[in-house]
Amino acid sequence: MEQESRDFIRSRIDEDVQSGALPGGVVTRFPPEPNGYLHIGHAKSICLNFGVAVENAGKTYLRFDDTNPAKEDESFVQAIQNDVRWLGFDWAHLTYASDYFEELYQFATNLIKYEKAYVCSLSGEEMRKQRGTLTEPGRNSPYRERSVEENLELFSRMRAGQFGDGEQVVRAKIDMSSANINMRDPVLYRIRHVRHQRTGDDWCVYPLYDFTHCICDALEGISHSLCTLEFEDHRPLYDWVIENANVNYHPPQIEFSRLGLEYTVMSKRLLARLVEEGIVSGWDDPRMPTIAGLRRRGVTPAAIRDFCARVGVTKQENRVEMNLLDFCVRHDLEKSARRGMGVLEPLKVTLTNWTEGVLQLEGPWHAQNEALGSRTLPFSGTLYIEQSDFSLAPPKKWKRLARGEMVRLRYGFIIRCDEVVMDGDQVVELKCSYFPDSRSGEDTSGLKPNGVVHWVSADQAVAVKIYEYERLFQVADPTAGSLLDDLNPHSVSIKDGFVEPAILAAQDTHFQFERQGYFCKDSENEYSFNKTVSLREGF
RNA sequence: UGGGGUGUCGCCAAGCGGUAAGGCCCCGGGUUUUGAUCCCGGUAUGCGCAGGUUCGAAUCCUGCCACCCCAGCCA
C-alpha cells in the first residue's frame, strides 16, 4: 500500500506543473557522495526524488557528488547503484560531478573575470581567524582586490600544479560582514594533489560543494533541487553562484527534514565509525540502518518504500519510532512470506504411544494464500517444541502445554503431557500421548486443546543458527559524544535451533516461522537465519 | 547575544478563518488449527505560552518561550 500523499514539496511541484513553469518537465536528482553506504535516511530522499519524477512522468538523475577524492571510493559507487536499484528505482542518467570539472573550471573563470571571485593566499588558519564569528563580522582578505589578470594567472597556475595543497584557494567575493557565514567569501576551489577515482591525475584543483552542486543542477536542467534542512543556510549561496557565474538556468532549492530513527544513528560518519571500529561486522551488518544492513536483515524494498511514504515529508525535526518500521515490514511480509515451523529453543517431546515411524503430513505454505501451495511435514514419535510453550506453573488463560494439559501440534495431532522429565530444576523432556483420531483435517476426537503449538520432528529437522537482533543502541537518541556508552551490549544473540526440512529445500529466502516472527536465510552463511522482526504479541 | 528554521495526541502527520483527517503505538470486542493476520469500536474541548482582532482563530496580529542548523580549503 504505497499511496502517494500531498506533502509541501509535491504541492509545490503540482503548482509548477500546472502553471506551465516547467517546459522540461519534472527533473530531479539524487546526489550522494560516494564515501559510504546508503542508509534509510537516503531511502527517504530516494523515494522523494524518484517518486515525484515517476508521479509526474519526469526523470531522475543519479549523480555522484565526487568532488572530494580524499574521501571517496569506487566501491561505494557500485554499492550505491546496487542499493538504489534494489529499492526499486532506476535513473534516466547516471552522472558524476566530475563529468563537469572542465565546465566548472570555466564558470569559476567567469566569476574571476566578472570580479566576483579571487585567488586568496591566506592559510586555512588565517582565513578562519578572519572569518569572524556568529556575532562578529569578518575582515576582508588582503588578497581580495587582486586584479583580474593576476587572479586568472594564479588560478591557471593552481590548475597546472604549481602550488602545494592549501597554498591558494579561489574564493567568491561576496560580503565578509554577512550575517550568513556561508556568504563571507566562501572557498570555491582548493588544491588537492590526490588521485581522483575517476579523473585520475587530470586535476589537482577540486571545486567545493557550494560551487559544484548548483551548477550541476543547472546543467542537468533539474527542475527541483531537493535537499535536507541543514542546507537552508546555503541557499543564498546556491542562488548567488547561479546568478553571478552566468549560468543560464536557475533551479530552485527546496529543503526538507532528514529522517531520524529511534535507537540508531543516521550519519555516514558515525556509521563508518561503527564499521571501522569493528563494533558491527560491516556496512551490511543486520543491525545497521543501512540499506545493505536492512536487506541482509530481511527487510523488503516494499516495506522501506511504504515506511518512507508513511513518514511523510515536512520541515519538522523528527525521530520516528522503530514501531513504524516494524509494522511496515510485517505488513509486507504478512502477504508474501511462506509459513514454516522453526524451533528456536528446543524441548524434546516423546510420544509414548506412537508406533507409526515417520509420517508425512501436509500443511499449506500460507493459510490465507492458497496460491503458495503446500509442503510436506515429517512427523514422528520424537519431536521438539519451544521451551516457552510448556509451563510447570501455567498462568490463567494459558494456551500452551502444561502437565496433564492438551495442545494441538500445528497441522498434526493433539497431544497430552503425561510426564515431565526434570534435570535439577530444568525441564529436559516431556512424555506425551497423542490422539490418533485428532489428525489435522480429519479430527473426530471432539477434544478441546488449550491451543496450537509449532514443532519439528527431531530426526528430520535441520539444525540451524538463528541470529536475533535487538536495537543497536540502548538510548533512543545516541550521539557522537557517547557513542560507545550508548551501545546496546546485547544487540545480537545466537540460538541453535531447528527448522522443518521444507524451509531449507525451498527457493524462498523469507519465511514466517509460525508464532515466532519473520526470518530470512542469511546471504553469507549457510544454515543461518536472521530474524527480521517478531510477530506482534497480543497478550 | 548574529543569521536561518521548526513548534498540532506517546511517535509521525493533515489542516491555510467556520468550529481538530489519517497512520503507528495503546486499550476494548469479534473471527481464527499462528495469543499472528483480518474485522469492528475507543483514545487531543485541545493545536509551545500570553495577549489581541473576529459572530467565530490551530489557522490573522503582537509579544514571549523552547528546540534544531550555521564560524571545513567536508558534503
Side-chain angles (χ1 to χ4, degrees):
Chain A
M1 185 189 306
E2 299 164 42
Q3 74 286 62
E4 64 185 63
S5 57
R6 291 295 79 171
D7 50 71
F8 78 102
I9 289 178
R10 274 178 247 254
S11 300
R12 156 72 190 270
I13 292 175
D14 286 350
E15 285 170 25
D16 291 345
V17 168
Q18 280 156 24
S19 71
L22 270 28
V26 173
V27 184
T28 57
R29 104 265 93 116
F30 174 62
E33 181 186 14
N35 66 343
Y37 277 61
L38 261 25
H39 53 63
I40 193 167
H42 293 106
K44 175 177 175 177
S45 175
I46 290 167
C47 289
L48 211 215
N49 278 294
F50 285 89
V52 297
V54 168
E55 290 157 26
N56 291 284
K59 62 179 184 179
T60 304
Y61 283 76
L62 171 60
R63 182 170 77 225
F64 288 100
D65 225 329
D66 57 346
T67 56
N68 188 356
K71 292 166 57 184
E72 297 153 9
D73 191 272
E74 172 68 18
S75 69
F76 295 128
V77 341
Q78 291 309 323
I80 288 169
Q81 291 181 57
N82 185 41
D83 288 349
V84 173
R85 282 213 185 85
W86 179 78
L87 275 172
F89 298 102
D90 201 4
W91 45 89
H93 306 282
L94 175 68
T95 60
Y96 296 80
S98 55
D99 293 341
Y100 307 104
F101 278 174
E102 187 60 46
E103 282 154 288
L104 258 359
Y105 182 86
Q106 291 309 320
F107 280 115
T109 300
N110 287 352
L111 243 22
I112 288 174
K113 287 178 181 161
Y114 307 149
E115 298 184 68
K116 296 289 188 181
Y118 60 99
V119 175
C120 182
S121 309
L122 249 25
S123 70
E125 177 69 6
E126 292 167 320
M127 207 180 298
R128 189 175 60 75
K129 281 183 190 154
Q130 301 201 359
R131 185 152 34 228
T133 67
L134 294 179
T135 51
E136 301 164 276
R139 298 197 306 275
N140 282 169
S141 163
Y143 305 101
R144 203 170 196 261
E145 301 307 329
R146 285 217 256 231
S147 69
V148 169
E149 293 66 33
E150 187 182 3
N151 281 322
L152 253 16
E153 155 91 16
L154 252 14
F155 190 29
S156 104
R157 287 179 56 204
M158 283 169 65
R159 176 178 183 172
Q162 294 180 19
F163 297 103
D165 288 3
E167 285 182 25
Q168 313 284 353
V169 295
V170 174
R171 289 226 260 170
K173 190 188 286 189
I174 309 181
D175 178 8
M176 287 306 291
S177 63
S178 172
N180 181 345
I181 293 178
N182 294 305
M183 301 297 270
R184 317 239 264 229
D185 288 11
V187 174
L188 269 22
Y189 265 89
R190 81 292 225 185
I191 299 171
R192 283 266 187 289
H193 290 275
V194 174
R195 186 178 179 78
H196 186 283
Q197 70 275 12
R198 290 191 73 244
T199 60
D201 297 317
D202 292 354
W203 295 86
C204 63
V205 289
Y206 293 98
L208 277 93
Y209 168 87
D210 285 308
F211 181 70
T212 308
H213 205 89
C214 52
I215 292 177
C216 289
D217 282 349
L219 294 175
E220 293 179 349
I222 302 302
S223 66
H224 301 271
S225 180
L226 312 178
C227 64
T228 42
L229 246 30
E230 65 271 27
F231 292 103
E232 270 178 322
D233 287 340
H234 294 245
R235 185 171 2 114
L237 180 51
Y238 182 107
D239 294 336
W240 185 94
V241 171
I242 298 277
E243 294 304 322
N244 289 279
N246 200 22
V247 182
N248 59 14
Y249 174 69
H250 192 157
Q253 171 180 302
I254 306 169
E255 311 85 8
F256 62 95
S257 57
R258 21 188 335 147
L259 173 70
L261 233 200
E262 278 189 337
Y263 300 101
T264 190
V265 291
M266 206 74 88
S267 90
K268 267 195 242 176
R269 199 182 105 249
L270 262 22
L271 293 173
R273 232 183 102 186
L274 297 175
V275 173
E276 284 155 14
E277 295 182 21
I279 291 162
V280 295
S281 63
W283 287 98
D284 68 344
D285 186 296
R287 294 166 294 178
M288 292 280 272
T290 51
I291 303 302
L294 292 166
R295 174 170 56 232
R296 189 163 173 194
R297 171 95 170 233
V299 172
T300 59
I304 294 174
R305 280 185 253 120
D306 185 30
F307 173 77
C308 291
R310 288 171 187 271
V311 156
V313 179
T314 68
K315 290 173 87 87
Q316 261 140 270
E317 299 286 333
N318 60 79
R319 193 176 281 272
V320 178
E321 292 178 339
M322 278 295 185
N323 272 335
L324 184 62
L325 215 209
D326 288 347
F327 168 83
C328 293
V329 174
R330 291 190 196 104
H331 189 67
D332 184 48
L333 257 16
E334 159 63 28
K335 297 171 293 189
S336 56
R338 288 170 194 254
R339 312 292 136 112
M341 293 195 277
V343 174
L344 277 51
E345 296 182 308
L347 172 59
K348 185 179 178 185
V349 169
T350 302
L351 301 182
T352 53
N353 60 336
W354 182 262
T355 57
E356 310 293 315
V358 177
L359 181 64
Q360 297 297 333
L361 298 173
E362 188 173 347
W365 275 118
H366 188 131
Q368 282 91 230
N369 184 357
E370 288 180 18
L372 258 22
S374 63
R375 85 286 191 185
T376 58
L377 282 156
F379 187 96
S380 71
T382 307
L383 311 163
Y384 292 126
I385 66 167
E386 209 68 59
Q387 286 173 25
S388 58
D389 280 335
F390 174 81
S391 175
L392 283 170
K396 283 251 185 291
K397 294 186 179 175
W398 182 244
K399 298 181 70 170
R400 312 176 188 184
L401 202 54
R403 217 189 304 253
E405 300 286 318
M406 294 180 292
V407 291
R408 170 175 295 284
L409 298 175
R410 178 83 155 156
Y411 300 130
F413 297 87
I414 293 172
I415 61 170
R416 184 185 62 219
C417 175
D418 302 318
E419 188 186 339
V420 180
V421 181
M422 306 285 294
D423 178 10
D425 58 358
Q426 289 290 304
V427 177
V428 294
E429 183 185 348
L430 265 24
K431 305 251 191 221
C432 300
S433 44
Y434 89 104
F435 298 89
D437 56 353
S438 69
R439 180 167 171 170
S440 192
E442 47 197 66
D443 183 358
T444 56
S445 70
L447 297 170
K448 293 280 211 179
N450 281 351
V452 182
V453 140
H454 61 278
W455 54 275
V456 293
S457 178
D459 287 341
Q460 286 73 225
V462 183
V464 295
K465 294 271 183 213
I466 296 177
Y467 294 77
E468 293 189 276
Y469 305 98
E470 299 295 325
R471 39 185 60 137
L472 224 199
F473 292 89
Q474 53 192 156
V475 299
D477 57 340
T479 53
S482 56
L483 202 67
L484 276 356
D485 293 334
D486 292 344
L487 283 167
N488 174 5
H490 310 294
S491 57
V492 59
S493 57
I494 308 172
K495 285 176 178 161
D496 291 301
F498 293 94
V499 298
E500 58 171 285
I503 287 177
L504 279 159
Q507 293 301 304
D508 297 51
T509 49
H510 294 64
F511 294 87
Q512 183 196 98
F513 291 178
E514 295 208 46
R515 303 206 308 130
Q516 294 283 348
Y518 294 95
F519 296 77
C520 77
K521 293 173 180 168
D522 185 64
S523 54
E524 302 299 313
N525 303 291
E526 268 198 300
Y527 301 105
S528 294
F529 285 81
N530 293 311
K531 183 175 186 174
T532 309
V533 64
S534 65
L535 255 28
R536 267 177 97 236
E537 288 197 35
F539 70 108

